[in-house]
Amino acid sequence: MEHIRLPKVENVRLLDRVSTRRSRVGTLYLTATHTIFVENEAGVRNETWVLHSLVYSAEKQAATTSGCLLIIHCKNFQVLHFVLPRERECHDVHLSLQRLSQPESYKELYCFSYKPNVDEEERLQEWDFLDLKADYSRMGLPNSLWKLSPVNCHYKVSDTYPAGLFVPDSATPPVIVGSSKFRSRGRFPTLSYYSKENHATICRSSQPLSGFSARCLEDEQMLEAILRSNPRSDFMYVVDTRPKLNAIANRAAGKGYENEDNYSNIKFQFIGIENIHVMRNSQQKMLEVCELRSPSMSDFLEGLESSGWLKHIKAVLDAGIFIAKAVAEEGVSVLVHCSDGWDRTAQVCSVACVLLDPHYRTLRGLMVLIEKDWVSFGHKFSHRCNHLVGDPKEVSPIIDQFLECVWQLMEQFPCAFEFNERFLITIHSHIYSCQYGNFIGNNERERIELGLRERTHSLWSYLWTNREDYINPLYRPDHSQTQGLLRPSTAPYCFKFWKGLYNRFDRGMHPRQSVEDYLRAIQEETQQLEEQLASHKQKIAILEQEQGWSVTQKAATFDKSPTAWALGNDLGLANTPQDYTGGFITSSPCQPKAPEGSLILLPQDLNKTSDSNHSNSSDQESGIADLSCRSPLSEDSTKDPDSDEAAYSAA
């Protein structure tokens, strides 16, 4: 509270981003964790909550006759325009927000003060929800080819790696330690994914310290051990995810890449994914285009093209596809690295896993994948996501790109993923919100030192508890896609702009309801109607028994599957994105026509819909805008006055 210069400002206007002529007047409150705008409309209490951890920047503009404008940009891509009546008030709020949104130490983060109504035993159980050892066991590890090595116990070999690592059974501790000394930050080659069908693996490491001519016998033996652990292949790929010029430039600093003359039976492959600085600038340019008030089609498309954002998404997907095909189709093991092995390496390894393994296309599976390839293997969340005040050059949207790659795949294969878009957006928001302890710190060692397990809550348990909000109604567990390798197209026309993430707060610019949400609402309403029908049938049966008469009625059976509106296509045969381009009615589904002579009991109220909102307490605690939507059948249904959606719609 000592950082709050002015806790309350009255007669503040919240402008509509699309049309500045529209605004709402209310009171602005600053608390230790949130900025809250309460609208002053008679009989209505609409609130907009902004978590300080989500504030990326606060910009104060020059005062005018109408007041002083304060623009708040958030890490979840929300932009708020407040007009404060006096410049001095705007100055105080601006300075307060700058300090509150840039914590200087971990103890200031929201996760350490977030206290939901959960007892201590339940809180500890949250952290036991995911078990990485169980995921490795699912892959068939350990076995005669791969073992769990204690070599990094107490993080003695690499302080950015997890304590438990799988290495080839033939790799001895001296070979592992020797290899680590020849790799940047000690990140020696270790296993990320194992295919028990053909023994091919995805391994990961950092770049070798090869310079122009240096070599290391132990590192060469380590790669040879990885190769021998796949008895069905006589070579392996080494994939450097950097542009070749970048890798060559690193040689001057004593780093670089593997020399094929020194490593036996390897095939080297460069994949040109740009560095964190290029990605940061690209996203910033793309967001500037998103924030244009009324862009023309040419302005928007030219701005999106000049940002290069989708080109970078394509590069990450291409790398994942190359690795997935090498493992699944060629049966060849792959070693992946970039510079330090915690950015581009995490991206392409996890994308390849999503393509390879149907398990990672489920709710629990994606959680495990992020925990394994990102959290455990030392992606620097605190630096990349700007959790603490620090070097702005360390900030980069690396995890954003992975989540977008998954979304792009969902667009091509809508029946192959158990989760929906809202699931990805919720994960994205909480990565930056610091409400949960999962993404605090830069590696496993830091998280243990911070005592996150003992002092904070886990996001994964919250998501699983509310999993009904994140189920994809098109998901078919028995679908051919869910059983094998995904083969997406990366032709330029297959990539889409993710408006659901980058423009989801612009309610006036486009509809917020997706096809999946529309179908989900229909499913919920159908379930309600079926329950009412069952109740009516039960009452009729009781009446028949009591009065001794019966009514004969023909029963009409309708298909209740998520693909009920398909036009006779056999979606079970679909294997490619092209198989999904047709077959769905684009107009609103209507009441199925009743067979002649049948008796249908209609309920009195057809307007009941099931609201899939997040809990109000979670919305207000996190400051994350409500992503729920309602069926068109109940578009005018009552909004919760305490929800973020109601607040933003009023604003």
Side-chain angles (χ1 to χ4, degrees):
M1 296 295 291
E2 68 272 15
H3 305 306
I4 300 176
R5 291 169 171 256
L6 190 63
K8 176 182 177 181
V9 183
E10 295 182 339
N11 298 319
V12 175
R13 286 186 294 137
L14 175 59
L15 304 182
D16 186 284
R17 203 184 71 78
V18 179
S19 174
T20 55
R21 297 177 183 176
R22 297 199 300 266
S23 64
R24 294 290 184 269
V25 179
T27 303
L28 192 68
Y29 298 91
L30 263 66
T31 72
T33 57
H34 291 79
T35 293
I36 308 168
F37 177 79
V38 182
E39 186 180 336
N40 294 340
E41 185 176 340
V44 178
R45 184 179 174 84
N46 288 330
E47 300 179 356
T48 300
W49 290 58
V50 180
L51 183 60
H52 294 148
S53 302
L54 284 173
V55 174
Y56 178 72
S57 67
E59 176 187 351
K60 173 182 169 291
Q61 297 193 350
T64 64
T65 55
S66 60
C68 192
L69 180 63
L70 181 66
I71 304 176
I72 299 176
H73 287 82
C74 298
K75 299 172 186 177
N76 60 351
F77 313 118
Q78 185 177 18
V79 182
L80 298 163
H81 295 75
F82 291 109
V83 178
L84 283 72
R86 286 173 286 276
E87 184 177 13
R88 181 62 189 177
E89 293 174 334
C90 189
H91 176 75
D92 288 342
V93 171
H94 178 237
L95 290 181
S96 300
L97 273 177
Q98 281 189 320
R99 177 61 183 87
L100 292 168
S101 63
Q102 297 178 357
E104 296 176 351
S105 63
Y106 281 114
K107 66 180 180 180
E108 296 180 36
L109 294 179
Y110 182 40
C111 60
F112 293 108
S113 60
Y114 173 58
K115 305 295 182 184
N117 189 21
V118 175
D119 60 40
E120 182 64 15
E121 182 180 356
E122 185 177 349
R123 191 194 63 76
L124 289 173
Q125 289 175 355
E126 293 176 358
W127 288 99
D128 294 329
F129 173 70
L130 291 185
D131 183 4
L132 293 186
K133 290 183 179 179
D135 191 56
Y136 285 114
S137 297
R138 183 188 61 84
M139 298 182 204
L141 298 172
N143 56 30
S144 60
L145 300 173
W146 292 88
K147 65 183 178 183
L148 181 62
S149 173
V151 69
N152 200 41
C153 184
H154 306 300
Y155 312 101
K156 293 180 295 185
V157 176
S158 175
D159 60 355
T160 63
Y161 260 174
L165 294 162
F166 280 92
V167 297
D169 187 68
S170 59
T172 62
V175 167
I176 298 172
V177 173
S179 175
S180 72
K181 293 178 180 177
F182 191 65
R183 295 278 169 173
S184 178
R185 298 299 301 266
R187 294 171 68 92
F188 58 89
T190 183
L191 183 136
S192 172
Y193 177 78
Y194 175 78
S195 173
K196 56 186 175 184
E197 285 77 17
N198 59 14
H199 306 297
T201 60
I202 300 174
C203 295
R204 55 185 294 174
S205 70
S206 60
Q207 64 184 335
L209 306 179
S210 55
F212 289 102
S213 59
R215 59 185 298 182
C216 172
L217 179 62
E218 290 86 357
D219 194 63
E220 294 165 18
Q221 292 174 339
M222 189 68 181
L223 266 65
E224 180 68 23
I226 294 174
L227 173 60
R228 289 200 306 269
S229 296
N230 182 3
R232 300 183 184 180
S233 178
D234 56 2
F235 74 96
M236 64 179 288
Y237 286 111
V238 175
V239 173
D240 191 327
T241 60
R242 301 169 293 181
K244 186 174 183 179
L245 288 177
N246 295 26
I248 292 174
N250 275 326
R251 282 185 160 186
K255 302 176 182 179
Y257 55 92
E258 292 83 355
N259 187 334
E260 290 186 75
D261 294 335
N262 298 334
Y263 295 85
S264 59
N265 301 313
I266 71 167
K267 292 186 178 181
F268 199 85
Q269 183 78 30
F270 280 109
I271 298 178
I273 302 175
E274 298 291 348
N275 62 32
I276 61 172
H277 313 295
V278 173
M279 299 306 189
R280 179 179 61 251
N281 294 335
S282 176
Q283 189 189 60
Q284 185 57 46
K285 291 179 181 177
M286 185 261 294
L287 292 176
E288 290 172 2
V289 176
C290 297
E291 293 171 16
L292 295 175
R293 280 205 172 87
S294 300
S296 65
M297 181 64 78
S298 59
D299 288 342
F300 180 81
L301 293 178
E302 288 172 4
L304 184 60
E305 166 63 22
S306 65
S307 74
W309 181 254
L310 290 179
K311 178 185 71 175
H312 299 315
I313 298 297
K314 172 177 162 54
V316 176
L317 266 179
D318 281 332
I321 291 170
F322 175 84
I323 295 167
K325 286 185 175 180
V327 171
E329 296 180 352
E330 299 181 53
V332 177
S333 295
V334 184
L335 172 64
V336 185
H337 69 73
C338 49
S339 296
D340 292 314
W342 50 48
D343 290 319
R344 288 167 281 199
T345 301
Q347 287 179 327
V348 300
C349 286
S350 50
V351 167
C353 286
V354 171
L355 294 170
L356 281 166
D357 196 331
H359 177 66
Y360 296 128
R361 304 196 283 269
T362 66
L363 281 161
R364 185 186 286 265
L366 188 70
M367 298 183 209
V368 169
L369 181 62
I370 294 174
E371 188 72 25
K372 173 174 69 74
D373 270 325
W374 293 83
V375 178
S376 175
F377 269 108
H379 177 66
K380 302 201 297 182
F381 279 102
S382 285
H383 287 170
R384 298 293 181 258
C385 301
N386 198 27
H387 289 161
L388 301 177
V389 61
D391 185 359
K393 293 182 179 179
E394 283 288 304
V395 179
S396 192
I398 304 303
I399 187 67
D400 301 35
Q401 291 180 315
F402 165 66
L403 294 174
E404 179 159 345
C405 285
V406 175
W407 178 81
Q408 296 284 354
L409 292 172
M410 291 168 61
E411 289 295 293
Q412 292 197 36
F413 302 96
C415 295
F417 292 83
E418 184 184 24
F419 48 84
N420 57 19
E421 178 188 50
R422 182 180 296 132
F423 185 62
L424 299 179
I425 293 175
T426 303
I427 291 175
H428 176 273
S429 295
H430 281 300
I431 286 172
Y432 289 93
S433 74
C434 300
Q435 180 174 347
Y436 296 92
N438 304 75
F439 309 107
I440 307 303
N442 293 311
N443 51 65
E444 185 176 283
R445 180 179 181 177
E446 279 190 16
R447 294 183 184 95
I448 292 176
E449 292 173 350
L450 288 170
L452 293 172
R453 182 184 177 93
E454 294 76 26
R455 302 168 61 193
T456 68
H457 292 265
S458 172
L459 172 64
W460 306 132
S461 178
Y462 165 78
L463 293 176
W464 186 252
T465 301
N466 297 276
R467 59 188 177 276
E468 289 302 318
D469 294 336
Y470 309 120
I471 294 295
N472 171 20
L474 295 174
Y475 178 62
R476 297 178 63 189
D478 57 343
H479 200 286
S480 60
Q481 285 183 359
T482 65
Q483 306 306 316
L485 172 70
L486 292 186
R487 296 176 175 84
S489 170
T490 56
Y493 54 78
C494 292
F495 289 87
K496 300 179 181 180
F497 172 72
W498 194 1
K499 66 182 181 185
L501 178 64
Y502 303 115
N503 282 105
R504 72 182 186 274
F505 295 102
D506 298 339
R507 295 178 56 84
M509 294 181 67
H510 55 75
R512 291 184 60 201
Q513 188 173 44
S514 66
V515 174
E516 290 81 4
D517 288 328
Y518 186 80
L519 290 175
R520 179 180 175 82
I522 292 174
Q523 283 184 321
E524 292 171 346
E525 291 172 355
T526 301
Q527 183 178 359
Q528 287 184 351
L529 292 173
E530 288 175 345
E531 290 172 355
Q532 292 182 18
L533 179 60
S535 176
H536 288 317
K537 286 182 176 180
Q538 186 178 10
K539 292 178 181 178
I540 290 173
I542 294 174
L543 288 173
E544 288 176 349
Q545 292 176 0
E546 291 179 350
Q547 300 181 14
W549 57 270
S550 63
V551 176
T552 304
Q553 174 182 322
K554 293 182 180 180
T557 303
F558 300 97
D559 184 4
K560 300 184 288 295
S561 70
T563 55
W565 305 107
L567 299 181
N569 287 353
D570 183 7
L571 294 183
L573 301 177
N575 285 312
T576 65
Q578 290 75 17
D579 293 316
Y580 289 93
T581 57
F584 289 93
I585 298 176
T586 56
S587 61
S588 298
C590 58
Q591 180 73 24
K593 184 176 180 181
E596 292 183 6
S598 65
L599 173 63
I600 292 186
L601 299 174
L602 293 176
Q604 294 295 322
D605 185 6
L606 291 178
N607 291 324
K608 290 184 179 179
T609 58
S610 178
D611 189 353
S612 58
N613 288 344
H614 301 304
S615 65
N616 293 338
S617 60
S618 174
D619 288 343
Q620 292 186 348
E621 292 286 0
S622 67
I624 296 167
D626 182 12
L627 303 176
S628 67
C629 64
R630 295 172 174 81
S631 166
L633 298 177
S634 59
E635 193 66 26
D636 296 326
S637 59
T638 304
K639 292 184 176 69
D640 182 354
D642 290 328
S643 71
D644 286 346
E645 180 180 359
Y648 198 86
S649 64

